[in-house]
Amino acid sequence: MHELAITEEILRIAVTHAERVGAKRIMDINVVIGDLSSVVDDSVQFYFDFLSPDTLAAGGTLHFRRITARLRCRQCGLEFEPQSMEWHCPRCQALGGEVIAGQEFYVESIEVE
Amino acid sequence: MAKVKVVEQITKANDQIALQNRQLLDATHTLAVNLMASPGAGKTSLVMRTIEALRGRLRVGAIEGDTASQVDADKVATTGVPVVQINTGGGCHLDANMVRPALHELPLAEIDLLLIENVGNLICPAGLALGERINVVISSIPEGDDKPYKYPGIFTVVDAVVINKTDLLPYLQFDLLTFRRLIEGLNSRARFFQISCKTGEGIAEWAQWLADKFEAAVGDGVNHT
């Protein structure tokens, strides 16, 4: 359900910007998704193939750039990537940290002609 | 072929409607709280307890979000507060566009605190603003203490974490200290409440926090008793 609404929004954003520059066709859409934003690439691709044929993005390709989650330790400031159930700072062992990457969710750019 | 820089948030359309909802709520001095949790964590029970605890202090209203049925709204309606049910028809979360018509069905001018019960889900609701000023996640003891590892997104964006069903602590394996330390690490601004909707433990402290938030946000010191 959720991925359908997301795909519609990605398509709307891409088409709006393509029209803004007077493009005839969208070849590629580059999307950035953080690992914490819980979006499934394959589902978005599936809906995109279904929704795009009658738009400027017909035949275009979706590209996903995944961003790994990163935390900044609140005790010692070290930046680290949490692993599965191990979220202790590797330097000072404090648990968790401020999320500094992984929540991204935006259309970065489009390739048009 | 040319590259066009976009950098546009995929939730932008939702965020714009959420902003309109918030402006509507601000105009009537209504503070909205988005209550998120997995199914069965005790969202409706907490709504009922909160209404009871704030009776005579704040005028409460509720929006009940579910994929189907009117069960929750019927339950909340027995307390006498205005309530609207939203059925998402299978959808996994509420969004700002679903909440907008519900706001128009409620007597907002007579509501100080609007409790919005989101669809039971720890993933999708976290990324979608509804017009609320306060976001809360409710977790419960039987769900286990590993929820922040599995669903970190939601725990990082909330203003409060409520852990419900503390009356079950003696019977279940739940490392409350580690759970709490992880949340403090992920989200230092989140308030932490330990409650039991069954026994009433912690409800007064939670209700007081909401009352304080109301006064700070929109109450202007007005007493609506």
Side-chain angles (χ1 to χ4, degrees):
Chain A
M1 273 323 266
H2 190 131
E3 266 76 5
L4 173 59
I6 286 167
T7 312
E8 287 170 336
E9 189 60 12
I10 290 171
L11 201 53
R12 185 195 66 77
I13 291 169
V15 169
T16 304
H17 285 267
E19 285 172 348
R20 176 173 61 84
V21 297
K24 289 189 177 63
R25 199 175 152 215
I26 301 168
M27 314 295 288
D28 301 278
I29 303 176
N30 298 307
V31 177
V32 178
I33 303 179
D35 278 344
L36 296 177
S37 61
S38 309
V39 174
V40 183
D41 305 9
D42 287 351
S43 301
V44 175
Q45 184 69 59
F46 171 81
Y47 286 120
F48 181 79
D49 293 342
F50 179 76
L51 293 169
S52 60
D54 295 328
T55 71
L56 286 182
T61 310
L62 273 177
H63 303 277
F64 302 99
R65 183 158 67 87
R66 300 295 303 204
I67 307 277
T68 309
R70 285 184 69 79
L71 303 179
R72 183 187 291 121
C73 175
R74 290 184 199 277
Q75 301 297 322
C76 76
L78 183 73
E79 294 180 7
F80 65 100
E81 293 178 6
Q83 307 291 326
S84 185
M85 293 283 283
E86 181 44 86
W87 288 26
H88 286 90
C89 168
R91 187 157 69 195
C92 76
Q93 298 304 307
L95 190 52
E98 180 195 353
V99 178
I100 53 171
Q103 289 174 315
E104 300 77 5
F105 191 37
Y106 58 93
V107 179
E108 187 173 40
S109 61
I110 53 176
E111 299 275 354
V112 298
E113 62 172 25
Chain B
M1 198 154 91
K3 190 180 191 108
V4 179
K5 198 169 179 224
V6 176
V7 192
E8 188 168 324
Q9 297 297 320
I10 293 163
T11 52
K12 190 177 156 194
N14 181 77
D15 292 345
Q16 284 170 344
I17 300 170
L19 183 63
Q20 291 168 8
N21 288 347
R22 186 192 270 212
Q23 287 165 344
L24 181 67
L25 290 159
D26 284 353
T28 57
H29 292 236
T30 305
L31 178 70
V33 180
N34 181 10
L35 294 172
M36 298 172 282
S38 48
K43 292 182 296 298
T44 312
S45 300
L46 185 61
V47 168
M48 305 278 283
R49 279 286 192 178
T50 307
I51 291 167
E52 207 177 291
L54 290 171
R55 199 177 289 283
R57 294 165 69 192
L58 288 183
R59 300 169 301 175
V60 181
I63 292 176
E64 295 293 315
D66 268 304
T67 57
S69 92
Q70 182 80 17
V71 177
D72 284 355
D74 289 348
K75 217 183 277 181
V76 172
T78 62
T79 64
V81 308
V83 55
V84 172
Q85 177 82 47
I86 300 176
N87 285 141
T88 61
C92 50
H93 58 271
L94 292 179
D95 65 31
N97 201 37
M98 296 178 204
V99 169
R100 180 162 56 175
L103 293 179
H104 289 286
E105 284 183 48
L106 286 164
L108 290 182
E110 295 157 27
I111 295 174
D112 300 319
L113 183 71
L114 179 63
L115 301 173
I116 305 176
E117 181 180 331
N118 217 310
V119 177
N121 178 349
L122 286 176
I123 304 169
C124 313
L128 292 159
L130 308 175
E132 77 284 355
R133 282 195 175 270
I134 296 180
N135 284 289
V136 176
V137 63
I138 307 161
S139 206
S140 67
I141 301 296
E143 292 171 63
D145 50 21
D146 55 3
K147 282 289 172 289
Y149 293 104
K150 292 179 175 173
Y151 306 94
I154 200 162
F155 288 93
T156 59
V157 298
V158 293
D159 302 292
V161 176
V162 176
I163 180 83
N164 186 22
K165 308 188 190 181
T166 53
D167 53 291
L168 294 176
L169 268 172
Y171 313 106
L172 297 166
Q173 289 273 333
F174 191 102
D175 184 346
L176 196 54
L177 187 67
T178 304
F179 181 86
R180 192 168 178 160
R181 275 175 50 216
L182 178 58
I183 287 162
E184 283 166 0
L186 284 174
N187 182 349
S188 61
R189 69 192 170 88
R191 276 289 305 266
F192 194 85
F193 296 97
Q194 285 175 226
I195 65 153
S196 165
C197 286
K198 187 177 169 71
T199 67
E201 183 204 340
I203 298 291
E205 189 191 352
W206 152 255
Q208 185 58 48
W209 181 74
L210 288 176
D212 291 345
K213 285 284 178 192
F214 173 74
E215 292 297 330
V218 286
D220 302 321
V222 177
N223 190 347
H224 290 289
T225 50

